[in-house]
């Protein structure tokens, strides 16, 4: 139920707020204080962009980006569309990230230009992933998620209780 976490909270408490001390790269409209309803809408928008980028139910979405609340938003959005979020700590070094991505088996990687140019520089990311999406910035090996037209609205995918819901390291 990770994919509907904020949606369910918004149904019960639509005017509750969330205050962030930074601008989430995947949802810059949430900078400062936002209602839970606005957060749920941001998760839906990110999920629709992920679907438009080709992320499908059952796919693994590795999330390794600079630290911030948008890691949580991306995990919820991936789960909402039926993908399995694979959270890799922003503190991991490039070779460790490459090894862990290789173990996942040709996933989509959601990262940022700072990670691609920093920790991941020199790693065979293109060989280990099916596609690379950026939360922000530009990079010749990736597509920026905000530049993708969102797919049509769709209900949240309800995974089988026997399928993985989240993978972390």
């Amino acid at each position: 139920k990770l994919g509907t976490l904020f949606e369910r909270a918004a149904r019960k408490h639509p005017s509750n707020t969330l205050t962030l001390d930074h601008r989430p790269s995947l949802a810059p409209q949430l900078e400062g204080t936002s209602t839970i309803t606005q957060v749920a809408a941001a998760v839906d928008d990110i999920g629709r962009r992920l679907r438009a980028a080709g992320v499908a139910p059952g796919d693994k979405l590795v999330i390794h980006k600079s630290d911030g609340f948008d890691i949580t938003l991306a995990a919820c959005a991936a789960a909402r569309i039926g993908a399995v979020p694979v959270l890799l700590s922003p503190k991991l070094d490039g070779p460790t990230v490459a090894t862990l991505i290789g173990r996942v088996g040709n996933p989509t990687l959601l990262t940022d230009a700072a990670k691609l140019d920093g920790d991941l520089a020199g790693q065979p990311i293109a060989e280990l992933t099916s596609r690379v999406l950026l939360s922000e910035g530009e990079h010749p090996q990736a597509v920026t998620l905000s530049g993708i037209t969102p797919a049509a609205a769709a209900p949240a995918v309800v995974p089988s209780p026997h399928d993985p819901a989240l993978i972390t390291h």
Side-chain angles (χ1 to χ4, degrees):
K1 298 211 179 185
L2 179 64
T4 59
L5 176 71
F6 291 106
E7 183 180 332
R8 287 179 288 121
R11 276 197 302 267
K12 287 186 178 184
H13 308 285
S15 61
N16 279 9
T17 59
L18 177 78
T19 301
L20 300 175
D21 62 355
H22 65 283
R23 180 190 61 83
S25 59
L26 288 170
Q29 71 274 22
L30 298 181
E31 183 175 28
T33 300
S34 302
T35 66
I36 296 300
T37 301
Q38 290 169 316
V39 176
V43 168
D44 179 58
D45 178 69
I46 296 164
R48 292 171 57 201
R49 290 175 194 277
L50 290 170
R51 274 194 306 120
V55 179
D59 287 356
K60 308 272 188 321
L61 177 71
V62 171
I63 303 167
H64 176 70
K65 58 172 297 309
S66 300
D67 204 5
F69 184 67
D70 49 350
I71 293 172
T72 301
L73 297 173
C76 291
R80 180 173 177 68
I81 64 169
V84 179
V86 179
L87 305 178
L88 299 184
S89 170
K91 305 290 186 207
L92 294 173
D93 62 54
T96 301
V97 171
T99 297
L100 294 173
I101 290 172
R103 290 179 184 170
V104 174
N106 202 37
T108 297
L109 171 64
L110 176 61
T111 189
D112 53 47
K115 286 288 183 196
L116 282 178
D117 289 333
D119 299 341
L120 300 178
Q123 300 303 314
I125 298 304
E127 298 168 21
L128 297 171
T129 60
S130 59
R131 68 187 65 78
V132 178
L133 302 172
L134 292 178
S135 61
E136 66 181 340
E138 293 183 6
H139 197 278
Q141 297 175 332
V143 174
T144 304
L145 203 57
S146 64
I148 296 173
T149 302
V157 173
V158 179
S160 163
H162 304 290
D163 292 335
L166 176 72
I167 300 170
T168 63
H169 184 281

